[in-house]
Amino acid sequence: MQTLITADELHSLLGSAEPPHVLDVRWRLDQPDGSADHRAGHIPGAVYVDLDHELSDHGRPAVVGRHPLPRHETLQQAARRWGLLPGRTVVVHDDLQNLAAARAWWLLRRAGVRDVRVLDGALEAWRRAGLPLEEGDVRPEPSTIRLQDPQRDVTDTAAAAAVDLESVRDLSSRLSQGLPADAVLLDVRAPERFRGEHEPIDPRAGHIPGARNLPTAGNVDAAGRFLTPQALRERLLAAGADDHRPVVSYCGSGVNAAHATLAAHLAGFDAVLYPGSFSQWSQHAELEVAVGE
């Protein structure tokens, strides 16, 4: 099923008999509330999604990290507020290379929404195409959609669509000992954070032992569009991925890692997300943290 959608394709679908639901997931670390920007100008009909409160849970960062998966009830109530209807296409985007929108893509697919697409190039692609924006709030008629629990079966690295701390602990142990592992572990943060030279947020600097660094910023071009599947594939192969092992991605708190998971999916790999990411790992003093390359 198609994963990316262009601005022109989305514009055409919005005029169809069953237009897709458009979700505006504007969020960034220094400005987590993007609702004001949404009201100032958004794709017609797009509903604002609050990543911090609708796509994440809070309250236990020392246990599950800074942006753990939302509870089933939280995500389902949000989806109903967005007006999602069963069987209808959903298109997600943000205004920053889809780094936040990928979180919605991953969660909704995991919750059983089959047709979730990402606006390639994010909101800037819509603007560059000269397509119209509208202002104000969008409040659709609430729906009664029923979603699956996004936290179901978060245990087995190879089989699940997400992995938990115990799975990554086991994977890291085998990788650091030079033993064969059933996955390749990718740290998609900036190189200086991976090497432990700079850590502005989490309690310890460095990376999970055995991980390889592949910054997620390299998955898109200068216009914020994803590289071709072949280019993404070559990038991942160079980092140690292969067709016989899933690619497990992590970042600081699990947001940008969803973007890397999307890139691996586009490249044709078995793509897995570690939601707790380094913000969870680094809180556990008994777990080793590596520095350097």
Side-chain angles (χ1 to χ4, degrees):
M1 188 170 291
Q2 184 177 348
T3 301
L4 301 180
I5 186 170
T6 69
D8 287 335
E9 288 170 338
L10 174 57
H11 184 249
S12 177
L13 285 177
L14 288 176
S16 66
E18 289 194 352
H21 300 290
V22 181
L23 303 181
D24 184 342
V25 198
R26 279 185 247 196
W27 175 93
R28 60 187 69 200
L29 197 58
D30 61 345
Q31 187 181 332
D33 185 354
S35 59
D37 288 340
H38 169 83
R39 288 192 295 271
H42 55 261
I43 294 173
V47 180
Y48 175 68
V49 173
D50 186 330
L51 184 145
D52 266 354
H53 298 98
E54 295 180 315
L55 303 182
S56 307
D57 194 13
H58 294 282
R60 298 177 298 153
V63 178
V64 289
R66 286 184 277 113
H67 285 100
L69 301 185
R71 295 173 179 149
H72 180 214
E73 312 83 67
T74 300
L75 184 61
Q76 181 159 276
Q77 288 174 10
R80 290 175 175 181
R81 181 186 74 79
W82 306 332
L84 299 195
L85 297 172
R88 187 74 61 89
T89 298
V90 177
V91 177
V92 299
H93 76 86
D94 56 36
D95 63 349
L96 189 65
Q97 302 178 344
N98 287 316
L99 292 172
R103 170 83 166 200
W105 168 83
W106 184 85
L107 271 171
L108 288 173
R109 280 170 46 90
R110 182 158 176 78
V113 181
R114 293 187 64 251
D115 190 5
V116 187
R117 309 183 194 185
V118 178
L119 176 58
D120 200 18
L123 185 61
E124 184 58 27
W126 184 272
R127 290 184 174 127
R128 289 185 180 187
L131 297 170
L133 296 173
E134 68 177 15
E135 299 178 357
D137 287 316
V138 177
R139 302 183 186 277
E141 184 72 23
S143 73
T144 58
I145 193 169
R146 297 181 66 86
L147 300 181
Q148 298 175 25
D149 186 353
Q151 299 196 51
R152 70 191 187 284
D153 302 326
V154 183
T155 53
D156 180 31
T157 300
V163 292
D164 60 11
L165 181 64
E166 293 303 318
S167 298
V168 176
R169 187 199 313 254
D170 177 62
L171 171 61
S172 169
S173 175
R174 284 179 288 137
L175 288 170
S176 62
Q177 294 175 41
L179 300 176
D182 61 356
V184 57
L185 182 62
L186 297 180
D187 183 319
V188 303
R189 297 172 300 160
E192 62 272 17
R193 291 187 70 189
F194 174 82
R195 294 191 295 263
E197 298 166 0
H198 175 64
E199 181 47 65
I201 305 172
D202 294 317
R204 290 190 287 166
H207 59 268
I208 298 174
R212 305 179 186 189
N213 189 215
L214 191 68
T216 194
N219 292 327
V220 297
D221 62 19
R225 294 186 176 91
F226 277 95
L227 304 181
T228 66
Q230 184 58 36
L232 289 170
R233 184 172 184 81
E234 291 173 0
R235 190 166 185 264
L236 284 154
L237 288 171
D242 63 55
D243 290 321
H244 306 292
R245 300 185 297 167
V247 174
V248 179
S249 299
Y250 78 89
C251 59
S253 68
V255 175
N256 287 1
H259 190 272
T261 301
L262 171 55
H265 169 79
L266 292 171
F269 290 102
D270 181 8
V272 182
L273 174 68
Y274 169 33
S277 285
F278 196 68
S279 66
Q280 181 188 41
W281 184 276
S282 61
Q283 294 278 359
H284 293 258
E286 76 279 10
L287 297 179
E288 182 182 354
V289 169
V291 297
E293 295 292 349

